Amino acid sequence: MSRQSFVIIGNGPAANQAAESLRSQGSEAKITMLSKDSFRGYLPHLLPDFISGSIGEESLYFRPHAYYKEKNIFLRLGQKAVGIDFSKRRIFLEHREVISFDGLIIATGGKPRIPEYYQLFEDLMLTLKTPQDAKLWISKLKSVDSILMLGGDLTSLSLTRALLKMGKTIQFIINEDSFWPIPYSEEIYKAVAQRLESKGVQVVHCNKIRRVTQIDENLIEVDTDTCSVRTGAIGAFFGLVPDVRFLVRSGLDIDRGILVDEFLKTRFEDVFAVGDCAQVYHPALRNYWVSIGYQNAATLGKIAASNLLGSDLEALVAPESILDVGGVKVNTSWWTEF
Amino acid sequence: MTEVDFTVEVCGMAGDGTIAVGGLINEAMSLGAFSVLGFDSYPAEIRGFGRCVTNSRIGSSEIVALGEQAHALISLNDEQSRSRVPFLAEDCMVFFDSAPPTKVTEDKSLLSVLPPGAQIFGIPFGNLAVSAAGSARGRNLTALGGFAAVCGISPDLFREVIGKKFGSKGDHIVSVNLKSFDAGYEYSKSVFANRLGNIFSDVESNAASPRVMLSGNQAIGMAAIDAGLKLYFGYPITPATPIMEYLAKYLPKQGGRVVQMEDEISSIAAVLGGFYAGARAMTATSGPGFALMTELITHGVMAEIPAVIIDAQRGGPSTGLPTKTEQSDLHAAVFGGPGDSARIVIAPTNVSECYYFVLKSFQLAEKYQTPVIILTDFFLDNRVENVVAPKASEEQKACSNVFPEESSKDNYQRYHYSSSGISPRAIPGMEGFNFTATGLEHTEKGIPDYSPETHSRMTEKRHQKLFSALVDLKEPEEFLSGDSLDVGVIGWGSTFGSIVEAVQRLRKSGFSVGALKISSIFPLHSEIIRKFMAKSTVVLIPELNYEGQLANLIGHLDSKPVERLNLVTGTPMPTSVIQERIYQLMEVLAQ
């Protein structure tokens, strides 16, 4: 009998935890990790600290390349999956390679979301998802002192804290659509705004951005329905959108992310989805929930690995503990850290 | 100033244009005033199948050994390139065809076996070449363009060498190749805009100029012509054939002749005939052919007829490994053949020495009236180096035959005893200097004579010549040495570059190590070698043979046993292996 082959698509916390768990639970299968990114797995919540200079680049990455060699895990960076044939258990890569698998864990994560109504100005906005994005921020911050933050997700608040520490001037337009799938209520909006202002951030109250104009390399003018703002750079933070576009016609059930049951299984046998790219069914809620944060993602990665090896572990993490959903209290847990 | 020491490999199937791309890299970087050492390996079989690999090491300082770990791999065939993965640096750049004509399974994919630190650059080689030049044949040039762009090498260097390489085939061929190159270059500049490097752009090369790119075999051919070679007789055999090809192209233009003989026996016989008649003559062969020549080489020894023989060593015995390198003909060159048939054996260690040693070999053969064997090997023959353009002085070209005095006319003794062992040599046709030359033992007049006295004296004379030759043979040369050494490394032939590099590295780390290069394999400068061995606590002799053939030859010169490092992998001696062995010896010494 040929050796089993497990493939993990992704290289984030969920994917890495899944790979480690497969190996630590005694699997001797061939384990391949596919990542479209060319850099090692990193800790996204440390990116603001990297930008502010509090930590060096190496601290961002959670494992050296030698780890994968030691664990006999084939980490394939910069190699993008463009399709999957679940019936034949084959993955198609962008460079025309075809990989077969016996078990698959999809952990592609998410990518920065720019709402449709802002996509017109997308080229003038910086996002923060990867070390490369962070390097762009570092480069830009050398020549600008004021930043306009759009959105209001976890990353934006964390970055704001780092930028204030660097002595930068921050203006903030809180957007009600910034923390998918949890909507901002008026109560949350006020609480977040108050918190920001108490730290010296100027919150710009408006409903709409009408125009964004680049005056020169380091000066951008933003016209809103209430005022006009001049800034050196714009950061866009509207949460993440699951990176599952390549699976749209694959037969998987996809809403915003890949729909999986409480065991993290997709509708295909031995195929799992975890992390930011998945929506997990919760029997008590009779609805799907999403995971946010690297620790949650890693937990799900571990559960998926166990289940791929034959366990029946439920993703028991209660939605309340993931997002602290439950009114204002729920949301304070993420923004009061600021 | 930034130092650069960069190794790039190109790998593909025969017919992919692999060797062409490797050659263009060597030429372009040489044009850019870098020191370059390149080596190709290709299948033993005729074109059509088999893996081809080129290795180019490029440096701002003098490069003396092959690169062991590639910093860049250009893959023209991913399945074949999988074999190169163990030789890649951890963060190696890998250029591959991102749009092959057919789907690739994991077991044939290069990317599936790359280390995670590899930086991959997918370029649709074939598609770009078709779009730019109408044919996928230029996909190797497209790959080259991508490499140039990502590494920050001026495209003008490549455009110039592409023009030179294809110029003889007409403007159209030059044009399509340039288009293919430019397509890869522009694509990579655009697609990898945020990943472009400048490995070579801020480097000021130390390499002396002007330089020419030569292989060992080309240098041999060039030296032979500069030495005034009149006759070349040979039979094709890898890795010596390129010498005959070179001479076939250029020697007739100088008034010489190249004759392909029916075998190696007739080749050496014709060389002896040519020299006997007063013309400089040469042959080149490899182990199996050299074995066939053995009897007639000893005829040259006995009859005191000059000959120049290149033995381009390859893996043996017998047919062995035709396209792999080895240094295992030393015993055969020094001792091969019947009787006490001492002859001169010299061994160059780099391309430049290939030129100057061959040049010198004609004078040695003439003056000492004996066959001179030049031991090269597959690695030295086929590697290319951009060397300072070799040039022979009139003195180096001059005939060194010791002609008889006019006074000996009509009483000429061809094999006259002398203190040096050298007897004046007349050329047939010189009036009043008739003589008999025979493979039988003979008197001073050349008359066959088997008496104990004659054989004893003549044997002594023939050996005395060899000792006399020591004054004209290059003395062993110490590199990076000192008054006393913990480890003294002795080497010969193509292995010596790796020895020097290993010793250089270790001396930088404060180790007491040194190297001795022996170019005159026989006769030996025994005293110099003995002194070096005596001042070394441990003597190490790395060689590409199993038996330790140089170690066998010189081991007796010192009372302590020599340490041997013998590899028969068919590949050049890796610097790191020598380095590791020295470390081990140092550890033992420290205990």
Side-chain angles (χ1 to χ4, degrees):
Chain A
M1 185 180 163
S2 65
R3 186 182 171 207
Q4 275 197 309
S5 176
F6 295 151
V7 177
I8 299 164
I9 307 180
N11 182 31
N16 274 282
Q17 185 59 58
E20 182 173 315
S21 298
L22 284 172
R23 200 52 95 214
S24 65
Q25 289 178 50
S27 171
E28 292 181 356
K30 177 180 181 184
I31 300 173
T32 302
M33 295 178 70
L34 289 171
S35 172
K36 66 177 183 176
D37 296 321
S38 55
F39 37 80
R40 280 181 282 159
Y42 60 97
L43 298 165
H45 67 288
L46 294 182
L47 291 173
D49 291 335
F50 172 52
I51 291 172
S52 70
S54 302
I55 60 168
E57 183 177 355
E58 198 51 40
S59 305
L60 288 175
Y61 304 106
F62 45 75
R63 275 172 196 150
H65 289 316
Y67 167 86
Y68 300 95
K69 192 173 179 184
E70 182 191 324
K71 297 287 181 184
N72 199 18
I73 294 168
F74 292 85
L75 175 60
R76 301 180 58 175
L77 298 178
Q79 301 176 46
K80 187 177 176 184
V82 294
I84 301 178
D85 180 342
F86 289 102
S87 62
K88 292 182 179 168
R89 296 191 170 208
R90 297 194 304 182
I91 300 166
F92 302 98
L93 303 187
E94 191 174 39
H95 58 273
R96 306 208 67 191
E97 183 183 339
V98 183
I99 298 178
S100 299
F101 63 87
D102 299 304
L104 173 65
I105 297 175
I106 303 169
T108 49
K111 55 187 178 185
R113 187 174 71 94
I114 305 287
E116 199 174 334
Y117 45 87
Y118 284 152
Q119 285 177 5
L120 194 61
F121 317 120
E122 195 173 353
D123 289 349
L124 297 175
M125 298 175 178
L126 295 172
T127 57
L128 184 58
K129 173 67 171 60
T130 67
Q132 268 63 22
D133 296 338
K135 286 175 185 172
L136 285 177
W137 274 98
I138 290 168
S139 171
K140 193 67 185 171
L141 289 170
K142 284 177 185 164
S143 53
V144 302
D145 290 321
S146 62
I147 297 98
L148 174 65
M149 308 290 278
L150 297 180
D153 65 9
L154 270 174
T155 309
S156 68
L157 299 180
S158 183
L159 179 59
T160 297
R161 183 173 50 192
L163 295 176
L164 286 171
K165 202 168 135 189
M166 294 171 75
K168 303 293 181 185
T169 302
I170 310 292
Q171 295 165 304
F172 214 119
I173 296 177
I174 303 171
N175 189 291
E176 61 179 19
D177 194 21
S178 62
F179 204 8
W180 174 86
I182 307 301
Y184 264 74
S185 66
E186 194 176 337
E187 200 174 354
I188 298 172
Y189 179 94
K190 280 181 183 169
V192 172
Q194 195 179 8
R195 191 76 184 174
L196 285 168
E197 283 171 336
S198 74
K199 295 286 180 184
V201 175
Q202 183 198 343
V203 176
V204 178
H205 301 281
C206 65
N207 295 313
K208 195 174 180 184
I209 290 178
R210 295 185 189 281
R211 190 169 57 209
V212 179
T213 311
Q214 181 150 29
I215 308 294
D216 62 37
E217 198 181 340
N218 294 318
L219 185 60
I220 299 170
E221 189 169 77
V222 179
D223 292 321
T224 75
D225 57 342
T226 60
C227 62
S228 180
V229 175
R230 287 196 160 203
T231 185
I234 302 174
F237 300 92
F238 301 95
L240 300 175
V241 59
D243 193 0
V244 293
R245 186 165 225 167
F246 72 104
L247 295 169
V248 166
R249 290 192 180 83
S250 66
L252 280 177
D253 294 324
I254 296 174
D255 178 21
R256 292 195 182 191
I258 300 164
L259 301 181
V260 294
D261 64 15
E262 61 271 37
F263 303 103
L264 305 176
K265 292 177 180 169
T266 68
R267 64 187 292 256
F268 294 105
E269 197 176 345
D270 298 324
V271 178
F272 297 76
V274 292
D276 289 343
C277 72
Q279 286 178 262
V280 185
Y281 186 73
H282 198 291
L285 294 177
R286 295 188 179 180
N287 203 346
Y288 289 89
W289 55 273
V290 296
S291 148
I292 289 179
Y294 77 95
Q295 284 167 335
N296 297 325
T299 302
L300 295 184
K302 193 172 183 177
I303 292 170
S306 297
N307 291 346
L308 178 56
L309 294 176
S311 299
D312 275 319
L313 301 178
E314 288 187 60
L316 292 174
V317 189
E320 288 81 356
S321 67
I322 302 165
L323 289 171
D324 288 337
V325 175
V328 177
K329 251 186 195 172
V330 172
N331 297 284
T332 55
S333 68
W334 49 269
W335 62 264
T336 51
E337 285 176 11
F338 166 76
Chain B
M1 191 188 73
T2 311
E3 279 276 317
V4 68
D5 183 353
F6 188 87
T7 296
V8 52
E9 285 198 347
V10 187
C11 180
M13 282 287 275
D16 278 339
T18 309
I19 305 295
V21 168
L24 288 168
I25 291 171
N26 294 337
E27 292 287 352
M29 300 318 290
S30 178
L31 194 61
F34 290 95
S35 176
V36 178
L37 193 155
F39 181 55
D40 307 337
S41 65
Y42 45 82
E45 298 77 11
I46 304 303
R47 176 191 165 98
F49 54 94
R51 179 188 310 136
C52 298
V53 183
T54 72
N55 178 303
S56 304
R57 186 173 175 192
I58 302 151
S60 48
S61 300
E62 194 72 28
I63 298 293
V64 295
L66 204 58
E68 286 179 46
Q69 281 207 309
H71 305 98
L73 170 67
I74 300 173
S75 169
L76 299 176
N77 181 301
D78 285 3
E79 188 177 357
Q80 296 301 326
S81 295
R82 288 164 64 97
S83 67
R84 306 313 303 162
V85 171
F87 308 102
L88 302 182
E90 205 167 278
D91 59 350
C92 176
M93 293 184 282
V94 176
F95 300 84
F96 69 101
D97 193 339
S98 59
T102 55
K103 287 193 168 66
V104 179
T105 52
E106 196 179 3
D107 61 329
K108 292 182 178 172
S109 157
L110 169 62
L111 271 57
S112 70
V113 289
L114 286 178
Q119 307 167 60
I120 58 173
F121 296 89
I123 301 168
F125 298 156
N127 294 353
L128 286 175
V130 169
S131 301
S135 164
R137 287 186 65 185
R139 63 190 287 278
N140 58 337
L141 274 297
T142 308
L144 185 63
F147 166 73
V150 170
C151 291
I153 306 170
S154 166
D156 290 338
L157 292 175
F158 285 101
R159 289 181 187 130
E160 186 171 336
V161 296
I162 290 169
K164 278 183 189 166
K165 180 174 177 62
F166 297 106
S168 62
K169 296 183 178 176
D171 291 346
H172 175 69
I173 299 297
V174 172
S175 169
V176 295
N177 280 291
L178 284 174
K179 281 177 183 171
S180 295
F181 172 83
D182 286 343
Y185 186 84
E186 295 304 331
Y187 175 91
S188 300
K189 280 285 253 193
S190 161
V191 171
F192 308 123
N194 58 356
R195 299 173 65 194
L196 301 178
N198 58 350
I199 298 163
F200 299 97
S201 57
D202 60 346
V203 178
E204 191 180 320
S205 171
N206 283 334
S209 296
R211 294 191 162 226
V212 291
M213 184 65 67
L214 285 179
S215 70
N217 277 339
Q218 285 172 325
I220 289 167
M222 188 185 280
I225 289 176
D226 288 352
L229 181 74
K230 289 293 174 215
L231 297 162
Y232 179 89
F233 303 98
Y235 187 78
I237 186 168
T238 303
T241 304
I243 297 170
M244 186 156 74
E245 290 172 342
Y246 181 93
L247 292 171
K249 190 172 178 184
Y250 296 108
L251 187 57
K253 293 174 185 168
Q254 306 297 322
R257 290 286 181 273
V258 172
V259 184
Q260 179 174 325
M261 306 299 284
E262 66 266 36
D263 60 20
E264 287 85 351
I265 298 172
S266 55
S267 297
I268 183 65
V271 168
L272 290 169
F275 257 113
Y276 179 74
R280 285 187 166 178
M282 183 176 100
T283 187
T285 186
S286 188
F290 186 78
L292 293 177
M293 292 182 182
T294 303
E295 200 278 327
L296 275 162
I297 289 173
T298 65
H299 179 82
V301 171
M302 177 61 106
E304 302 197 38
I305 303 172
V308 172
I309 304 145
I310 313 291
D311 178 4
Q313 300 167 97
R314 66 188 205 185
S318 188
T319 312
L321 297 81
T323 58
K324 300 295 172 189
T325 201
E326 209 163 270
Q327 296 178 290
S328 51
D329 288 355
L330 185 146
H331 280 167
V334 175
F335 303 119
D340 293 316
S341 53
R343 72 298 299 262
I344 293 173
V345 181
I346 55 178
T349 65
N350 57 38
V351 168
S352 187
E353 285 184 354
C354 281
Y355 179 88
Y356 289 105
F357 280 31
V358 169
L359 196 64
K360 182 77 178 172
S361 67
F362 287 95
Q363 293 186 328
L364 290 169
E366 283 168 344
K367 183 172 176 183
Y368 297 100
Q369 304 162 33
T370 190
V372 174
I373 296 160
I374 298 135
L375 278 177
T376 63
D377 61 57
F378 185 92
F379 174 39
L380 185 53
D381 294 315
N382 285 284
R383 84 190 202 193
V384 292
E385 293 176 41
N386 58 339
V387 296
V388 176
K391 191 167 172 27
S393 65
E394 289 306 314
E395 192 185 345
Q396 288 170 314
K397 294 180 196 175
C399 174
S400 62
N401 188 52
V402 181
F403 286 100
E405 298 285 340
E406 190 64 22
S407 57
S408 63
K409 195 173 180 181
D410 297 327
N411 190 29
Y412 176 57
Q413 292 188 318
R414 168 69 186 91
Y415 302 102
H416 177 66
Y417 296 127
S418 70
S419 58
S420 66
I422 301 170
S423 314
R425 182 169 76 100
I427 304 300
M430 288 171 62
E431 193 180 341
F433 294 95
N434 298 344
F435 65 95
T436 303
T438 170
L440 295 171
E441 187 59 282
H442 44 262
T443 63
E444 289 178 285
K445 289 283 278 181
I447 308 300
D449 181 356
Y450 311 146
S451 69
E453 295 77 18
T454 298
H455 184 49
S456 298
R457 281 199 78 184
M458 278 296 167
T459 302
E460 172 70 22
K461 166 188 152 45
R462 287 189 290 269
H463 283 82
Q464 182 55 48
K465 269 196 317 188
L466 273 277
F467 292 118
S468 301
L470 278 171
V471 297
D472 284 320
L473 289 167
K474 194 170 179 182
E475 290 185 351
E477 204 175 343
E478 277 195 45
F479 285 73
L480 310 159
S481 204
D483 292 339
S484 66
L485 298 167
D486 287 337
V487 179
V489 191
I490 301 178
W492 68 286
S494 69
T495 299
F496 195 72
S498 301
I499 292 172
V500 166
E501 185 162 324
V503 168
Q504 269 173 345
R505 287 182 193 170
L506 290 164
R507 285 188 75 88
K508 275 185 188 165
S509 305
F511 290 94
S512 170
V513 293
L516 185 76
K517 175 167 79 176
I518 298 181
S519 331
S520 300
I521 305 297
F522 199 87
L524 287 164
H525 294 86
S526 303
E527 252 337 283
I528 297 171
I529 299 168
R530 185 179 286 121
K531 278 181 187 164
F532 181 83
M533 293 170 89
K535 74 175 179 181
S536 305
T537 308
V538 176
V539 174
L540 173 67
I541 304 181
E543 295 178 79
L544 292 175
N545 56 54
Y546 185 79
E547 296 172 347
Q549 299 191 7
L550 180 68
N552 291 343
L553 191 66
I554 65 171
H556 68 282
L557 293 175
D558 193 71
S559 56
K560 59 180 168 286
V562 295
E563 293 291 333
R564 298 161 185 246
L565 172 55
N566 301 106
L567 294 186
V568 283
T569 53
T571 53
M573 177 75 76
T575 300
S576 60
V577 171
I578 300 172
Q579 202 174 332
E580 187 55 37
R581 185 60 186 275
I582 297 173
Y583 272 132
Q584 289 170 359
L585 293 171
M586 299 292 281
E587 276 176 14
V588 173
L589 283 179
Q591 285 168 4

